[in-house]
Amino acid sequence: MVKLPIYMDYHSTTPVDPRVLEAMLPTFKDRFGNAASRNHPFGWEAEKLVEKARAQVAHIIHADPKEIVFTSGATESNNTALKGIAEMYHEKGNHIITQTTEHKSILDTAKYLEKKGIRVTYLSVAPYGLIDPEKVREAITDETILISIMAANNEIGTVQPIEEIGKIAKEKGVLFHVDAAQAMGRIPVDVEKMKIDLLSFSAHKMYGPKGIGVLYIRRQNPRVRLAAMFHGGGHEKGMRSGTLNVPGIVGLGKACEVAEEELPRESERILRLRERLYQNISKELQDIHLNGHPKNRLPGNLNLSFAYVEGESLLMGISEEVAVSSGSACSSARVEPSYVLKALDTGEKFAHTSVRFGLGRFNTEEEVDYVAKQVIEIVDRLREISPLYEATKHGK
Ligand SMILES: *Cc1c(COP(=O)(O)O)cnc(C)c1O
């Protein structure tokens, strides 16, 4: 028997891995020191823990520990990257390139910067949410100071050609920022190979705790300079003042170590689970549509539209037993097709009817089979009472 409710919403957040929790616990007890306390063992110990975590974080992305700045999460990192670069490089230019399907923490920051006089190009990505690197190249002007493209999308799981874009950015001498909140721990991320200058991610999307994240800032060719958002004690080389979140940092470090070790095997296992879920559902149901790219996508992401069925009604039908998401988690309070699905141009039939299954570390085959069965049952039932479905059937 499967244990209910089943969690299949790993793009929203992930549970803390037991190994991560274990590593964090001492920081709530005897190792509670302030990492900035320079004059006693409590502080020294906390600092040692922080520096160990910094090395673990740097290792998974092939960076130098000196290039890691701890933040409160990917939202803060994204804000810092865009605003910090816009401010620091305003004499060089005032143009930023991004895409329409970025996370809100990029899009809303870009909109804010537009009000401050920055010009922003939002590249379109239909039909699979995949960006064409050549379009990025064409959008670059003498005024361009930053390209910001996410590694993997949080709704449809599409994985972008980051290495190709990085190459173009380097050729053109434009800084390249990547939001890797969904990519970390799920696909390899290498700031050297991908020629990334700034990288954001968050611990809670990779089996670490909430409220802690990273901004990677390249220190060598080129040395990236950035205006800080927070001022105060000068922590994190002045890039991010405020007492360090030692428990969070230790958890993030451990989460990176575990992710690095597990990634090859885990991504394969989760991909098999996703394929099983997709096959189970598509065997039984007609008129479904896979949103996002069929191949270039996160192993655990299955975003499906069920024609003639409101995504919200489907969700309501299963929400007591299965945690999945319709649209993006951050806007799930509103009932409208998400801007990401709108950007794909899938058409009315499928735009309102999407469900995002996000598979992760603790899902099992039994859970996948259970979820597929529930979804099939509810879609059948909802279609039965759908006037539109009836009309279409008789029209055939
Ligand atoms: C979750 C997420 C964020 C925001 O992360 P927080 O930790 O909530 O700040 C940013 N970008 C993407 C792609 C995400 O999935």
Side-chain angles (χ1 to χ4, degrees):
M1 263 307 277
V2 296
K3 189 168 157 281
L4 299 176
I6 294 167
Y7 191 72
M8 217 171 262
D9 198 16
Y10 279 81
H11 298 307
S12 295
T13 193
T14 60
V16 169
D17 187 287
R19 291 163 284 188
V20 170
L21 179 61
E22 193 64 28
M24 289 174 71
L25 285 176
T27 65
F28 295 105
K29 299 186 215 158
D30 44 331
R31 301 189 173 186
F32 62 85
N34 184 328
S37 297
R38 288 277 150 76
N39 42 8
H40 54 66
F42 295 88
W44 303 333
E45 184 147 51
E47 194 192 10
K48 221 172 83 191
L49 291 173
V50 166
E51 293 318 313
K52 180 180 172 198
R54 200 186 299 280
Q56 289 167 318
V57 170
H59 197 264
I60 194 176
I61 58 170
H62 300 103
D64 187 286
K66 290 196 192 77
E67 299 174 309
I68 303 299
V69 170
F70 292 114
T71 66
S72 64
T75 298
E76 185 189 326
S77 299
N78 286 343
N79 270 265
T80 307
L82 267 62
K83 293 175 190 170
I85 291 292
E87 186 178 328
M88 189 60 89
Y89 291 80
H90 75 278
E91 275 172 8
K92 185 160 181 264
N94 71 340
H95 179 225
I96 291 176
I97 298 169
T98 185
Q99 59 175 353
T100 54
T101 52
E102 287 291 315
H103 189 264
K104 283 287 182 193
S105 55
I106 293 288
L107 293 178
D108 288 356
T109 304
K111 257 184 249 156
Y112 167 83
L113 288 173
E114 280 189 287
K115 277 194 230 138
K116 301 269 168 188
I118 304 285
R119 199 166 70 77
V120 182
T121 300
Y122 301 89
L123 296 170
S124 60
V125 293
Y128 292 127
L130 198 64
I131 195 141
D132 176 357
E134 284 311 308
K135 274 201 196 165
V136 177
R137 184 196 299 278
E138 286 161 19
I140 296 171
T141 73
D142 292 343
E143 289 285 306
T144 310
I145 49 174
L146 184 69
I147 297 165
S148 182
I149 300 290
M150 72 203 316
N153 186 269
N154 44 301
E155 286 193 45
I156 52 173
T158 298
V159 173
Q160 301 294 11
I162 293 302
E163 196 174 334
E164 274 131 287
I165 299 168
K167 208 169 139 218
I168 291 168
K170 178 94 354 169
E171 260 173 45
K172 297 279 191 178
V174 177
L175 295 178
F176 183 31
H177 168 251
V178 173
D179 175 354
Q182 292 293 337
M184 287 303 299
R186 298 183 168 124
I187 53 172
V189 176
D190 180 335
V191 295
E192 282 308 316
K193 192 163 155 233
M194 296 171 164
K195 302 194 170 24
I196 294 167
D197 298 309
L198 299 119
L199 183 89
S200 305
F201 60 97
S202 215
H204 76 98
K205 303 280 175 73
M206 53 185 301
Y207 311 96
K210 291 165 184 64
I212 185 76
V214 170
L215 180 61
Y216 155 83
I217 308 171
R218 177 175 290 282
R219 276 170 66 93
Q220 256 182 354
N221 65 100
R223 183 184 182 92
V224 178
R225 290 173 325 116
L226 210 58
M229 297 294 108
F230 293 4
H231 303 91
H235 308 74
E236 299 294 270
K237 302 196 169 62
M239 274 315 305
R240 207 280 190 176
S241 285
T243 299
L244 294 190
N245 173 359
V246 179
I249 290 168
V250 168
L252 169 61
K254 188 66 185 179
C256 287
E257 185 192 289
V258 172
E260 199 173 345
E261 198 179 296
E262 305 248 332
L263 193 143
R265 252 182 312 138
E266 182 166 274
S267 60
E268 252 180 59
R269 189 185 76 86
I270 291 173
L271 180 60
R272 277 201 305 277
L273 288 180
R274 181 189 87 200
E275 282 170 348
R276 187 183 180 99
L277 181 62
Y278 188 35
Q279 275 159 17
N280 283 0
I281 293 175
S282 54
K283 247 184 352 216
E284 297 294 328
L285 293 176
Q286 308 286 310
D287 260 330
I288 64 174
H289 176 76
L290 176 69
N291 297 306
H293 197 278
K295 287 212 182 65
N296 301 347
R297 72 188 299 136
L298 292 173
N301 178 284
L302 185 67
N303 189 314
L304 290 179
S305 284
F306 301 87
Y308 316 114
V309 171
E310 285 275 344
E312 291 296 318
S313 317
L314 174 48
L315 241 59
M316 256 193 286
I318 56 173
S319 60
E320 302 242 329
E321 297 193 338
V322 184
V324 291
S325 167
S326 85
S328 135
C330 310
S331 56
S332 62
R334 278 174 278 149
V335 184
E336 54 177 61
S338 79
Y339 66 93
V340 174
L341 288 171
K342 278 190 197 157
L344 302 188
D345 254 339
T346 37
E348 269 303 294
K349 185 172 166 189
F350 290 118
H352 290 263
T353 64
S354 87
V355 174
R356 177 186 72 182
F357 302 89
L359 293 139
R361 184 169 292 168
F362 303 106
N363 285 130
T364 63
E365 271 186 12
E366 293 71 37
E367 288 179 335
V368 163
D369 294 348
Y370 187 91
V371 170
K373 191 168 136 279
Q374 291 305 102
V375 167
I376 293 161
E377 248 177 61
I378 288 159
V379 169
D380 276 338
R381 202 163 73 221
L382 289 170
R383 281 181 176 175
E384 218 120 279
I385 56 169
S386 153
L388 199 60
Y389 185 60
E390 274 302 299
T392 322
K393 254 185 7 189
H394 292 300
K396 272 182 191 162

